[in-house]
Amino acid sequence: MQIGIFSVGDVTADPTTGRTPSEHERIKAQVAIAKKAEDIGLDVFATGEHHNPPFIASNPTATLAYIGAQTERIVLSTATTLITTTDPVLIAEDYAKIQHLLDGRVDLMMGRGNTGPVYPWFGKDIRQGINLAIENYALLRRLWSEDVVSWEGRFRTPLQGYTSTPRPLDGVAPFVWHGSIRSPEIAEQAAYYGDGFFHNHIFWPASHTAQMVGLYRQRWEHYGHGPADTAIVGLGGQFFMRRNSQDAVDEFRPYFDNAPVYGHGPSLEDFTAQTPLTVGSPQQVLERTLSFREYAGDYQRQLFLLDHAGLPLKTVLEQLDLLGEILPEMRKGFAEGRPSHVPDAPTHASLVAAATAAEAAIAGGEES
């Protein structure tokens, strides 16, 4: 089970002080948060991709490469890579390069993006979002798996005898997750290819998450990748904790009430009752997180959103310290009762081993 954090890179005023951090501060804060995540023993740090204010999450490849140079173990990922507005040729090059630089500790999450104005900035039509996601990803897979590609589609110029460089490390492309909040088409795409499916899981009730993950698992089995419970699932989540639960509620309330995404809507109490957001003590966060398996099944990756809504860096780092304290129990809880046939989250090493075994099996069949 991989446990980590993700960031959307929002630049939001702290409602308790009225101060808005600069872009420079938020960019550097992401780096500090990622390094802290490794220090406390987390497995993954992921950054989103936004090209509009008030976000600093454009060019995630630069962010990941910079963080990668200052870390040693943590897997770096995206949340998400915009497969709709980013040229798949550029994605193929960028992430293969990072894969080499980080010795394989990188994967990425594909997504459509839901900010309407961004599409025309990159010459795309949001009404074609699903079609762009399907076509661009099909091309990306070929660019990574085939040394020479000739291709023609609807949304970009044709390719004739094109080779993407560098080639993927050890001949194995980075593992791909497909991220979605509410799109069954993306769950279908993930299942078709046998990729991972990441449900954002931060705004919706458990019933919706169960429905989306259930669809993906059913289609995974339909396409012959194995039993439904072997599908590769990731979930998002949010928490705010202090050692005393009432202190957590009192401190987080102004951030919740004024957050750009869910502020000025349901009350904090209603939102925490209806969604996975947990505000309380470390024990409450631990118990709530482990309960996700009740409706999502055994899964492979749990990421939390912590640096949002104007929370200052100092507070985010304190949240990570508290997470580090319950991390051993969280790992133990996720492992308890987990069937042996449920796979771990794919890593570069496991993908290389699988590719080597497949090649050996083919060679053995040819010899016989």
Side-chain angles (χ1 to χ4, degrees), residues 65-77:
Y66 185 80
I67 292 171
Q70 301 180 64
T71 53
E72 298 179 354
R73 180 192 55 81
I74 197 164
V75 173
L76 301 179
S77 189

Side-chain angles (χ1 to χ4, degrees), residues 27-353:
I27 291 169
K28 301 295 278 189
Q30 273 198 329
V31 177
I33 291 165
K35 292 168 69 174
K36 180 73 169 183
E38 179 169 85
D39 289 344
I40 68 167
L42 292 179
D43 304 300
V44 183
F45 172 81
T47 180
E49 179 178 350
H50 289 278
H51 297 274
N52 53 293
F55 297 95
I56 48 85
S58 61
N59 196 356
T61 50
T63 304
L64 296 181
Y66 185 80
I67 292 171
Q70 301 180 64
T71 53
E72 298 179 354
R73 180 192 55 81
I74 197 164
V75 173
L76 301 179
S77 189
T78 55
T80 63
T81 296
L82 298 181
I83 189 64
T84 48
T85 54
T86 308
D87 192 329
V89 172
L90 183 62
I91 294 175
E93 293 178 346
D94 281 353
Y95 288 93
K97 174 69 74 65
I98 293 177
Q99 191 190 33
H100 281 271
L101 291 170
L102 304 190
D103 296 320
R105 54 186 178 98
V106 65
D107 56 36
L108 63 165
M109 187 192 306
M110 298 296 175
R112 285 188 296 153
N114 57 9
T115 307
V118 172
Y119 277 72
W121 295 347
F122 292 88
K124 308 300 180 183
D125 183 347
I126 193 171
R127 294 170 296 183
Q128 296 293 337
I130 292 293
N131 293 328
L132 282 162
I134 293 171
E135 180 176 296
N136 285 352
Y137 184 60
L139 174 56
L140 176 63
R141 288 181 64 91
R142 288 190 59 190
L143 293 169
W144 274 337
S145 63
E146 301 175 25
D147 289 337
V148 181
V149 174
S150 294
W151 174 92
E152 185 171 353
R154 294 174 56 193
F155 299 110
R156 76 172 317 280
T157 54
L159 298 173
Q160 297 294 332
Y162 175 75
T163 298
S164 178
T165 59
R167 305 302 299 142
L169 178 65
D170 299 321
V172 173
F175 185 73
V176 170
W177 301 78
H178 298 257
S180 178
I181 298 175
R182 57 185 178 274
S183 175
E185 295 89 352
I186 298 303
E188 176 79 12
Q189 186 179 40
Y192 176 80
Y193 286 108
D195 295 335
F197 176 66
F198 186 90
H199 189 264
N200 197 299
H201 195 227
I202 60 176
F203 302 125
W204 295 79
S207 58
H208 177 76
T209 300
Q211 184 179 32
M212 291 291 290
V213 172
L215 170 65
Y216 163 68
R217 291 188 184 278
Q218 292 168 13
R219 301 305 288 171
W220 166 282
E221 184 169 312
H222 168 79
Y223 287 118
H225 302 301
D229 64 353
T230 64
I232 308 300
V233 174
L235 295 182
Q238 291 176 283
F239 66 74
F240 187 88
M241 55 181 155
R242 291 301 186 195
R243 300 194 187 282
N244 178 282
S245 59
Q246 189 59 51
D247 289 344
V249 171
D250 292 342
E251 183 176 349
F252 188 65
R253 188 181 300 278
Y255 295 96
F256 176 88
D257 288 346
N258 294 280
V261 176
Y262 43 53
H264 312 288
S267 69
L268 175 59
E269 286 74 15
D270 285 346
F271 200 86
T272 53
Q274 296 170 15
T275 77
L277 173 65
T278 307
V279 182
S281 68
Q283 185 63 29
Q284 288 173 310
V285 170
L286 174 64
E287 292 174 0
R288 184 78 176 279
T289 301
L290 293 177
S291 75
F292 297 166
R293 290 199 303 174
E294 296 173 5
Y295 51 87
D298 288 288
Y299 59 108
Q300 285 76 15
R301 175 174 283 187
Q302 174 64 56
L303 301 183
F304 297 104
L305 174 64
L306 299 183
D307 67 323
H308 65 115
L311 288 168
L313 175 60
K314 176 178 179 294
T315 301
V316 175
L317 297 179
E318 290 168 353
Q319 294 296 299
L320 285 168
D321 279 330
L322 291 169
L323 176 59
E325 291 180 14
I326 62 173
L327 191 58
E329 285 300 311
M330 189 174 290
R331 293 192 188 283
K332 180 180 177 181
F334 276 124
E336 188 174 328
R338 187 182 181 92
S340 59
H341 69 276
V342 173
D344 294 330
T347 64
H348 182 72
S350 70
L351 294 173
V352 170

